[in-house]
Amino acid sequence: MRDVTGRLMLLDTASLYFRAYFGVPDSVRAPDGTPVNAVRGLLDFIDRLVRDHHPEHLVACMDADWRPKWRVDLIPSYKAHRVAEEQESGPDVEEVPDTLSPQVPVIEAVLDALGIARVGVAGYEADDVIGTFTARATGPVDIVTGDRDLYQLVDDARGVRVLYPLKGVGSLQLTDETWLREKYGVDGSGYADLALLRGDPSDGLPGVPGIGEKTAAKLLAEFGDLAGILAAVDDRGAKLTPAQRRRLDEARPYLAVAPTVVRVASDVPLPDVDTTLPRRPRDPEALEALSGRWGLGGALQRLLTTLEP
């Protein structure tokens, strides 16, 4: 990874094209009738993000493996309900709407022709790529995602915030540590502990039975972090109810592995890519062909105009 000193914007690409797919009517189609709502919606997202937030660097982070084996080995239920087809070798196939899957290669081809850095690393999710770019950045970082798991990376001191789309990308929740404390009672570093304690059905994380979000926040406020909570379980003088002590004690096997699953990696072997926001297309001819083939005219032209120096 090359040095990144200016404002870096990291896109949780799958999260955004899923939102584009469900937010843009499937009547938006290529000349041959193929739906391209996710493609055009994502281009509009990127156009708006660049215009509103002026990043100097931009990376479209990809899921090379949306359900890494090393996470599943620790918690077998991790994203299990989203598996469409199990694979003996390579990543399992994720359940994706029939008319979205064919759009993903188009999205990748368009990003490549534009010259927007696109990074996925075998064995890791986009979250892990985002976590590693964030850890290595020396300037401010904007993480654009519809996945609250990435709130764990928010860090006011380093200028790391999450831009969480509420409706499209015209309405974004600018998530900093002040907002996190008001909403959840934790800062960025505490959010992962909150998430693993309360669980997350959308990711197949069971959490600790009987410990919901409010109780988890209270325990973290009282004892600092997961290690402090587990130390309190062993301290008969600590302020835990008998039920809380029993539930946490019974959940020790889960709590021993959950941090590794829930916390994003920060040591992914990133490729050497140029993350600089492109001002002109890397491959104008390929981009023109893609635009004609898929009917991307207006959305693509708006983005190109925004990118021009």
Side-chain angles (χ1 to χ4, degrees):
M1 172 183 164
R2 304 179 191 182
D3 290 340
V4 177
T5 55
R7 179 170 295 279
L8 169 64
M9 178 172 283
L10 301 170
L11 307 182
D12 182 4
T13 312
S15 166
L16 297 179
Y17 65 60
F18 264 92
R19 282 179 175 251
Y21 176 81
F22 288 107
V24 178
D26 67 1
S27 57
V28 175
R29 296 177 177 253
D32 67 357
T34 305
V36 289
N37 50 334
V39 184
R40 284 182 36 187
L42 181 64
L43 291 173
D44 284 338
F45 277 8
I46 295 173
D47 173 54
R48 182 68 181 266
L49 288 163
V50 172
R51 280 192 288 118
D52 288 355
H53 300 284
H54 311 291
E56 296 168 63
H57 299 265
L58 179 67
V59 183
C61 302
M62 313 297 290
D63 284 316
D65 190 338
W66 67 279
R67 189 175 181 250
K69 185 177 184 298
W70 56 272
R71 284 192 165 106
V72 176
D73 286 345
L74 295 173
I75 299 181
S77 62
Y78 182 67
K79 296 186 177 179
H81 60 296
R82 287 154 56 181
V83 175
E85 183 181 343
E86 293 186 359
Q87 302 289 321
E88 288 188 11
S89 61
D92 290 335
V93 177
E94 184 177 11
E95 190 171 0
V96 176
D98 290 344
T99 55
L100 174 56
S101 294
Q103 297 187 57
V104 177
V106 181
I107 288 169
E108 294 174 344
V110 171
L111 292 174
D112 291 348
L114 282 166
I116 291 174
R118 184 171 63 83
V119 179
V121 178
Y124 293 96
E125 300 177 54
D127 287 9
D128 303 310
V129 174
I130 289 169
T132 304
F133 269 111
T134 299
R136 297 187 188 180
T138 57
V141 180
D142 285 339
I143 299 165
V144 189
T145 180
D147 183 354
R148 292 183 179 89
D149 290 344
L150 289 168
Y151 285 171
Q152 64 184 273
L153 297 175
V154 169
D155 185 338
D156 287 359
R158 295 189 57 228
V160 180
R161 61 184 184 173
V162 167
L163 309 183
Y164 183 90
L166 299 172
K167 186 177 182 182
V169 289
S171 176
L172 293 169
Q173 168 61 56
L174 302 183
T175 306
D176 58 12
E177 289 192 301
T178 299
W179 187 89
L180 281 177
R181 282 189 287 268
E182 289 177 354
K183 177 71 173 178
Y184 297 106
V186 297
D187 56 15
S189 61
Y191 188 83
D193 285 346
L194 177 80
L196 65 88
L197 285 165
R198 73 167 182 219
D200 185 348
S202 69
D203 280 343
L205 296 173
V208 178
I211 304 293
E213 186 169 281
K214 290 183 179 179
T215 301
K218 288 178 181 177
L219 291 172
L220 290 167
E222 178 75 22
F223 302 111
D225 56 17
L226 179 60
I229 292 171
L230 290 174
V233 173
D234 296 325
D235 178 4
R236 292 294 164 179
K239 295 179 181 178
L240 287 171
T241 69
Q244 288 171 348
R245 193 182 304 277
R246 174 178 55 79
R247 287 165 176 160
L248 289 161
D249 190 47
E250 291 173 350
R252 282 182 191 271
Y254 163 74
L255 293 173
V257 298
T260 303
V261 174
V262 173
R263 290 173 187 152
V264 301
S266 59
D267 57 353
V268 173
L270 298 176
D272 181 25
V273 294
D274 183 0
T275 62
T276 306
L277 181 73
R279 294 304 181 182
R280 293 183 176 83
R282 175 185 295 150
D283 191 337
E285 290 185 6
L287 195 61
E288 186 176 353
L290 287 163
S291 180
R293 167 72 178 82
W294 299 107
L296 306 179
L300 192 54
Q301 191 53 56
R302 285 190 294 273
L303 177 55
L304 290 171
T305 300
T306 296
L307 292 175
E308 285 177 359

